[in-house]
């Protein structure tokens, strides 16, 4: 028991993120800034990929960091910090998505359509077809269930390994594989003949 | 070798096959254009999608960093201000007692004279049959249809500051008067500088003062509830974010019932009492039980939801300035038919200020008392208002 505690403490000491987290929770402005800047863009990006708007993504980002500090005592140091913050972020995003579904506020397709439109306008004409296809991909991703989308986002957008995804989402490795396969299959089905552009 | 299945090809793409299997598939893909095309198309698709992401400008992250740090710093600091909570409760009760036991008109005059007072109180009287807050009646203030005194005139701050406030010429119910009072159904108080908006607004003030459901979340106050938020106008510009007075968490206390994801309900017990710390750094009692699942369920943490909601509104101002709203904090005290306190707020007051209800006159024990937090705390901290204990 004592050994476990000591090992645990040693493990924490070796984890600079946890040191920063602890200092941040105690009001250390610099520590919080360092920790936040280290993960802010990744957290926001996952949140934005998972939800329907920038506003929601900011909300989720804010919640994720606050909850990380609030729940620091429950952090299991056997996990890497970045997988933990990913877990918090994806859980928050899934909760947001569930709330929206209950309220029937599904508007992210329009948001992504707008984003795709913006992308098209910002690019040269010979890329227009490809960007339209990209818009279709975004729509297809957003039609995924939150569970499938979480795996897809962590793998494709964040380029996490299967084991890192399993750790982040607290699911089995086999579940990661099956969900990723289903996500990819569904996306390809949604794209249908449009996929020929890339074939 | 036959063509591998889609899943195997994707695992090959991800580099997640074992070393030997990777080698086998690699050799096959080198010879099979169909599999190669499939892998290439998937890689292109995913790479394009990944690269299409537009990261927001850095200043937005810096704003977010500041907001989060500010919130967290306050959270930790509040713990040291618990004793002050008793003080603020006394403050609130003091206001109530002043309203109850003193000729309030004179009190207003005296307080306003020192230039620091931003608080006035009104008693609205309604006929007993209606007995409701005049949500629609506010719009009709002064009309014959209003349930309030027909001649009731809302005083401007200037008029309240006038010396002769005790002898209003525009109506018999300006300020607080018990001379010809019918049973008081509702009593509430507002900030002087928002009184016009509060009373003459679209009715949203009353509607927002009284609800038991907090905007921005799905929590509903259980039983009598103890919270309320009234809107007042603010003018927030994102560029002035750091200087803007961002409201603290909405005040709430006592037992709440949370509607869970699957429709189940979960009593999450005592939650948070927080005060407007821009006005005065005061108190919070964080008694959220760890078992409430605050970590896993966003809906359980109203404080966060509220601030998120506010941030969203801040964010909306990025393109152009716009009026937004901020919440003022009100405390609501409810008494049951037997004249006993019957609200979660009362339980909190019992903890902080034993015997508080003994100070409430019996004639008010069938009322709902709503007291604003904003401004009041500052007044009492400055010693502007006589503490409750000194009032006979």
């Amino acid at each position: 028991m004592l050994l476990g505690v000591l090992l645990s403490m040693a493990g924490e000491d070796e984890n600079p993120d946890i040191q920063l987290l602890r200092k941040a929770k105690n009001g250390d402005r610099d520590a919080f800034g360092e920790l936040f800047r280290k993960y802010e863009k990744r957290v926001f990006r996952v949140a934005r990929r998972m939800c329907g708007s920038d506003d929601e993504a900011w909300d989720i980002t804010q919640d994720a960091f606050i909850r990380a500090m609030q729940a620091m005592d429950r952090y299991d140091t056997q996990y890497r910090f970045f997988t933990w913050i990913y877990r918090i972020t994806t859980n928050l995003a899934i909760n947001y998505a569930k709330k929206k579904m209950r309220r029937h506020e599904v508007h992210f397709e329009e948001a992504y359509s707008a984003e795709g439109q913006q992308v098209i306008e910002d690019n040269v004409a010979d890329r227009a077809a490809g960007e339209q296809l990209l818009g279709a991909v975004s729509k297809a991703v957003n039609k995924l269930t939150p569970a499938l989308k979480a795996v897809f986002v962590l793998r494709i957008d964040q380029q996490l390994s299967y084991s890192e995804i399993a750790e982040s989402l607290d699911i089995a490795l086999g579940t990661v594989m099956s969900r990723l396969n289903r996500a990819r299959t569904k996306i390809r089905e949604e794209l249908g003949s449009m996929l020929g552009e890339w074939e | 070798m036959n063509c591998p299945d889609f899943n195997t090809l994707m695992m090959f793409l991800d580099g997640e096959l074992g070393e030997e299997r990777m080698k086998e598939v690699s050799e096959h893909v080198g010879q099979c254009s169909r599999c190669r095309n499939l892998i290439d198309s998937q890689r292109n698709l995913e790479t394009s999608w990944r690269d299409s992401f537009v990261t927001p400008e850095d200043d937005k992250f810096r704003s977010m960093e500041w907001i989060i740090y500010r919130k967290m710093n306050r959270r930790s600091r509040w713990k040291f201000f618990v004793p002050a909570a008793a003080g603020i409760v006394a403050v609130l009760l003091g206001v109530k007692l002043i309203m109850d036991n003193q000729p309030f008109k004179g009190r207003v005059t005296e307080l306003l004279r020192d230039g620091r007072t931003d608080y006035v109180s009104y008693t609205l009287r309604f006929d007993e049959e209606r007995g409701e807050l005049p949500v629609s009646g506010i719009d009709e203030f002064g009309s014959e249809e209003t349930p309030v005194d027909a001649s009731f005139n809302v005083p401007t701050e200037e008029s309240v500051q006038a010396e002769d406030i005790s002898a209003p010429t525009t109506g018999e119910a300006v300020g607080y008067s018990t001379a010809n009072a019918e049973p008081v159904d509702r009593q509430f108080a507002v900030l002087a500088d928002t009184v016009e908006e509060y009373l003459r607004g679209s009715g949203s003030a009353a509607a927002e003062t009284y609800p038991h459901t907090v905007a921005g979340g799905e929590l509903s106050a259980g039983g009598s509830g103890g919270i309320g938020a009234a809107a007042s106008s603010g003018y927030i510009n994102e560029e002035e974010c750091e200087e803007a007075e961002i409201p603290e968490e909405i005040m709430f206390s006592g037992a709440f019932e949370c509607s869970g994801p699957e429709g189940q309900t979960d009593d999450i017990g005592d939650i948070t009492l927080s005060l407007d710390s821009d006005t005065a750094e005061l108190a919070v009692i964080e008694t959220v039980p760890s078992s409430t699942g605050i970590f896993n369920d966003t809906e359980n943490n109203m404080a966060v939801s509220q601030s998120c909601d506010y941030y969203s509104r801040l964010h909306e101002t990025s393109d152009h300035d716009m009026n937004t709203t901020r919440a003022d904090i009100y405390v609501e005290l409810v008494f049951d038919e037997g004249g006993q306190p019957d609200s979660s707020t009362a339980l909190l007051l019992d903890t902080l200020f034993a015997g508080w209800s003994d100070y409430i006159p019996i004639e008010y024990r069938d009322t709902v008392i709503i007291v604003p937090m904003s401004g009041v705390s500052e007044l009492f901290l400055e010693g502007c208002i006589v503490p409750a204990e000194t009032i006979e």
Side-chain angles (χ1 to χ4, degrees):
Chain A
M1 176 68 180
L2 179 60
L3 179 62
V5 172
L6 291 174
L7 287 174
S8 174
M9 291 172 64
E12 287 184 24
D13 288 340
E14 291 170 4
N15 189 333
D17 288 339
I18 297 305
Q19 292 179 1
L20 290 174
L21 188 64
R22 183 175 289 108
K23 289 178 181 176
K25 191 176 182 183
N26 289 330
D28 187 325
R29 180 72 177 82
D30 292 337
F32 173 73
E34 186 177 344
L35 187 70
F36 184 79
R37 290 169 195 225
K38 188 173 181 179
Y39 292 104
E40 60 184 13
K41 290 184 174 58
R42 278 185 272 181
V43 168
F44 177 83
R45 187 165 174 145
V46 169
R48 183 62 184 84
R49 289 296 200 188
M50 288 287 294
C51 68
S53 69
D54 278 356
D55 284 350
E56 287 181 5
W58 285 118
D59 286 351
I60 291 169
T61 301
Q62 183 181 188
D63 278 11
F65 279 95
I66 288 174
R67 282 157 196 256
M69 283 188 275
Q70 286 176 335
M72 194 185 78
D73 295 339
R74 281 175 275 166
Y75 172 59
D76 188 340
T77 54
Q78 69 171 306
Y79 298 118
R80 288 159 289 191
F81 179 78
F82 79 89
T83 64
W84 190 55
I85 195 79
Y86 275 141
R87 183 184 303 180
I88 294 171
T89 306
T90 51
N91 282 342
L92 286 168
I94 289 170
N95 281 345
Y96 267 66
K98 286 179 178 176
K99 284 172 68 176
K100 284 177 66 173
M101 288 198 301
R102 285 203 303 275
R103 295 173 185 168
H104 308 290
E105 292 176 8
V106 184
H107 54 71
F108 33 77
E109 283 189 26
E110 292 86 334
Y112 271 89
S113 296
E115 179 187 285
Q117 184 64 35
Q118 183 63 48
V119 170
I120 290 171
E121 291 173 359
D122 290 347
N123 284 276
V124 293
D126 60 355
R127 294 289 305 274
E131 299 299 343
Q132 284 177 338
L133 191 57
L134 181 60
V137 174
S138 295
K139 281 188 178 181
V141 171
N142 283 295
K143 285 184 179 178
L144 296 174
T145 64
L148 296 185
K149 194 192 298 182
V151 174
F152 186 81
V153 167
L154 292 182
R155 170 61 208 151
I156 308 306
D157 193 85
Q158 296 296 302
Q159 297 183 280
L160 266 56
S161 69
Y162 290 3
S163 62
E164 288 171 336
I165 297 171
E167 186 176 314
S168 296
L169 301 179
D170 198 21
I171 56 179
L173 195 61
T175 307
V176 173
M177 295 177 188
S178 63
R179 285 184 184 176
L180 186 57
N181 188 45
R182 282 160 55 200
R184 280 169 159 157
T185 301
K186 283 179 178 293
I187 290 170
R188 291 184 74 91
E189 287 173 356
E190 284 289 330
L191 296 178
S193 60
M194 293 182 74
L195 208 51
E197 300 276 345
W198 273 319
E199 297 268 18
Chain B
M1 178 184 181
N2 293 329
C3 288
D5 61 21
F6 179 74
N7 190 32
T8 303
L9 288 173
M10 292 302 101
M11 291 180 71
F12 170 76
L13 175 63
D14 292 336
E16 293 277 355
L17 292 174
E19 186 177 350
E20 190 172 336
R21 186 67 173 145
M22 284 289 288
K23 188 177 179 182
E24 290 174 6
V25 175
S26 178
E27 289 176 357
H28 172 80
V29 169
Q31 300 167 356
C32 177
S33 60
R34 180 175 173 275
C35 290
R36 192 164 57 246
N37 287 342
L38 185 106
I39 289 173
D40 286 346
S41 70
Q42 188 69 23
R43 182 189 293 115
N44 289 337
L45 180 157
E46 293 175 352
T47 302
S48 298
W49 181 73
R50 181 167 60 243
D51 293 346
S52 69
F53 192 85
V54 179
T55 303
E57 295 174 358
D58 198 58
D59 60 349
K60 293 189 183 300
F61 286 100
R62 301 287 65 79
S63 296
M64 177 58 71
E65 177 185 337
W66 175 80
I67 289 170
I68 297 172
Y69 175 76
R70 196 162 179 251
K71 288 177 62 64
M72 290 307 300
N73 200 34
R74 281 184 179 164
R75 282 171 186 275
S76 59
R77 200 168 57 211
W78 285 339
K79 295 176 183 175
F80 300 102
F81 285 96
V82 170
I88 194 62
V89 170
V91 163
L92 297 170
L93 292 173
V95 171
K96 173 59 187 147
L97 291 173
I98 287 171
M99 291 190 290
D100 288 342
N101 299 323
Q102 298 291 320
F104 194 62
K105 292 175 292 185
R107 179 68 61 181
V108 171
T109 305
E110 177 185 331
L111 291 173
L112 288 177
R113 199 175 286 150
D114 68 16
R116 290 184 292 182
T117 301
D118 57 356
Y119 175 86
V120 292
S121 175
Y122 299 93
T123 297
L124 301 183
R125 294 186 287 116
F126 313 102
D127 61 55
E128 292 183 68
E129 290 184 2
R130 297 187 62 153
E132 295 178 353
L133 282 171
V135 175
S136 60
I138 283 177
D139 279 334
E140 304 162 354
F141 231 33
S143 75
E144 291 183 357
E145 296 177 9
T146 178
V148 191
D149 294 16
S151 56
F152 195 108
N153 238 12
V154 180
T156 63
E157 186 169 355
E158 290 72 22
S159 71
V160 173
Q161 285 178 310
E163 285 290 330
D164 196 19
I165 190 171
S166 60
T169 57
T170 53
E172 61 189 48
V174 174
Y176 182 81
S177 172
T178 57
N180 56 352
E182 297 297 322
V184 176
D185 296 317
R186 298 287 186 270
Q187 178 167 11
F188 61 97
V190 298
L191 300 182
D193 59 358
T194 61
V195 64
E196 284 282 334
E197 176 184 357
Y198 187 86
L199 294 179
R200 291 193 182 279
S202 63
S204 61
E208 290 184 320
T209 302
Y210 204 51
H212 296 308
T213 301
V214 182
E218 295 187 3
L219 283 177
S220 297
S224 301
I227 59 174
S232 62
S233 179
Y235 197 66
I236 304 296
N237 184 316
E238 192 179 45
E239 293 177 358
E240 300 170 355
C241 182
E242 293 200 3
E243 288 74 37
E245 189 177 356
I246 295 179
E248 265 307 308
E249 284 82 351
I250 193 168
M251 176 174 178
F252 48 103
S253 60
F256 283 77
E257 192 174 73
C258 173
S259 298
E262 305 301 329
Q264 78 272 19
T265 57
D266 182 18
D267 184 354
I268 58 176
D270 291 338
I271 317 180
T272 303
L273 166 64
S274 61
L275 307 178
D276 182 352
S277 61
D278 283 327
T279 303
E281 292 178 349
L282 287 169
V284 69
I285 300 174
E286 289 189 294
T287 55
V288 181
S290 58
S291 60
T292 59
I294 193 169
F295 171 73
N296 290 320
D297 189 342
T298 60
E299 293 165 328
N300 280 356
N301 192 341
M302 276 307 301
V304 171
S305 297
Q306 173 68 11
S307 57
C308 286
D309 182 52
Y310 188 80
Y311 181 79
S312 296
R313 277 183 260 130
L314 266 184
H315 190 71
E316 289 169 3
T317 67
S318 59
D319 294 328
H320 56 276
D321 292 343
M322 57 183 289
N323 282 320
T324 184
T325 59
R326 57 184 297 269
D328 271 327
I329 310 304
Y330 284 72
V331 178
E332 179 183 299
L333 301 174
V334 182
F335 297 88
D336 63 20
E337 294 179 353
Q340 296 303 309
D342 181 28
S343 66
S344 51
T345 318
L347 297 176
L348 181 72
L349 298 186
D350 285 337
T351 304
L352 297 174
F353 193 74
W356 67 273
S357 61
D358 295 337
Y359 292 86
I360 305 297
I362 190 67
E363 61 266 28
Y364 281 101
R365 291 183 175 223
D366 62 347
T367 67
V368 176
I369 305 169
I370 304 172
V371 188
M373 184 69 72
S374 177
V376 179
S377 55
E378 184 177 8
L379 284 175
F380 274 85
L381 287 179
E382 296 291 330
C384 298
I385 293 181
V386 181
E389 294 81 1
T390 66
I391 298 175
E392 295 297 330

